[in-house]
Amino acid sequence: MDTATIGGVWHEVVGTQPHPPWWLVAVTGGAALVAVSIRSVWHLLRNVVTIAHEGGHAFAALVTGRQLQGIRLHSDTSGVTVSRGKPHGPGMIVTAFAGYVTPPLLGLGAAALLAVGHITALLWASIVLLAAVLLMVRNAYGVVSVVTTGAVVFAVSWFGTATVQAAFAYAFTWFLLLAGARPVVELQSKRSRGRAPDSDADQLARLTGMPGLLWVFGFGVVAVAALLAGGSWLLPDTMPQLPSW
């Protein structure tokens, strides 16, 4: 890679790109909704949500002064983040709460970047975040999962045309926003059948004395709020208006 190439990439990262046409935004949103709705597709792409979820736990642990031991990602799309420190207190509460809210909040941040035309910056920021998570992964499947995701984002950002990059960035952002709510619904479904006694919500219940259902509700509020706000930022002002009767 020569200096001119590096300079060109940097110029694209710090610069802005034109907003895509309204139909591309609508199509990518529809594709993301289908991906979240169809079980087989969701099971595959849920790995991306798990990466974000466990990355949120890890980041919160580091920020609150806990000693991060590592992340493990599993083929059933579950994951676990291990950290050492006081088994109670604000640091543990923040760490436990961070998992389910991280994917929708990342989607909200991505929508904010797209709203101001930073398509390339979003793609490269995603690569940087995935690289940071990779440093914390401690099992083979987790490494493969993160590297594969990063390779796809890199290929799009390096080889894709402007239209391809925009389509991928918007689809990726819509997916994070829409995918924020489904794991919360799945969590409560498992809790109602007694299949998740050590879920994040139940850990928070034991840490705070507040009901686990209240924490599930909190996860859901964050997910819905991020979807509503992020979705409004993604939808362009130039979308065709329905005729008034």
Side-chain angles (χ1 to χ4, degrees):
M1 184 184 300
D2 56 29
T3 304
T5 301
I6 296 175
V9 171
W10 179 249
H11 177 75
E12 289 291 319
V13 170
V14 299
T16 59
Q17 293 76 43
H19 293 287
W22 69 267
W23 59 264
L24 188 145
V25 178
V27 167
T28 55
L33 181 59
V34 169
V36 174
S37 302
I38 298 178
R39 178 173 297 184
S40 58
V41 180
W42 169 246
H43 182 75
L44 175 63
L45 295 182
R46 199 184 192 283
N47 287 284
V48 177
V49 180
T50 304
I51 292 171
H53 180 113
E54 300 304 333
H57 281 314
F59 178 75
L62 291 173
V63 168
T64 57
R66 298 181 62 80
Q67 184 180 358
L68 182 63
Q69 300 296 296
I71 296 172
R72 299 181 72 85
L73 306 172
H74 305 132
S75 58
D76 63 355
T77 72
S78 66
V80 61
T81 299
V82 179
S83 62
R84 288 185 178 178
K86 292 173 60 177
H88 52 78
M92 189 62 195
I93 293 172
V94 171
T95 300
F97 183 75
Y100 279 96
V101 302
T102 295
L105 290 180
L106 285 176
L108 184 64
L113 285 174
L114 294 181
V116 293
H118 286 294
I119 296 173
T120 305
L122 168 60
L123 296 175
W124 284 94
S126 301
I127 294 172
V128 171
L129 291 176
L130 286 167
V133 172
L134 181 61
L135 294 176
M136 299 180 281
V137 173
R138 297 294 183 266
N139 68 319
Y141 182 84
V143 170
V144 171
S145 182
V146 175
V147 169
T148 300
T149 304
V152 171
V153 180
F154 174 79
V156 170
S157 62
W158 192 260
F159 301 107
T161 64
T163 301
V164 170
Q165 290 185 14
F168 182 87
Y170 273 80
F172 182 64
T173 302
W174 277 120
F175 176 75
L176 287 175
L177 291 171
L178 291 166
R182 178 159 180 175
V184 180
V185 175
E186 293 173 343
L187 168 64
Q188 184 54 31
S189 177
K190 289 181 179 179
R191 292 184 72 250
S192 66
R193 300 194 301 271
R195 294 176 53 191
D198 294 318
S199 70
D200 293 351
D202 291 284
Q203 290 184 48
L204 286 164
R206 291 191 288 269
L207 287 167
T208 64
M210 299 169 61
L213 183 60
L214 184 62
W215 289 105
V216 175
F217 179 75
F219 298 154
V221 168
V222 173
V224 172
L227 174 59
L228 294 176
S232 68
W233 296 343
L234 291 178
L235 295 174
D237 297 331
T238 56
M239 288 189 69
Q241 301 296 315
L242 293 176
S244 57
W245 301 96

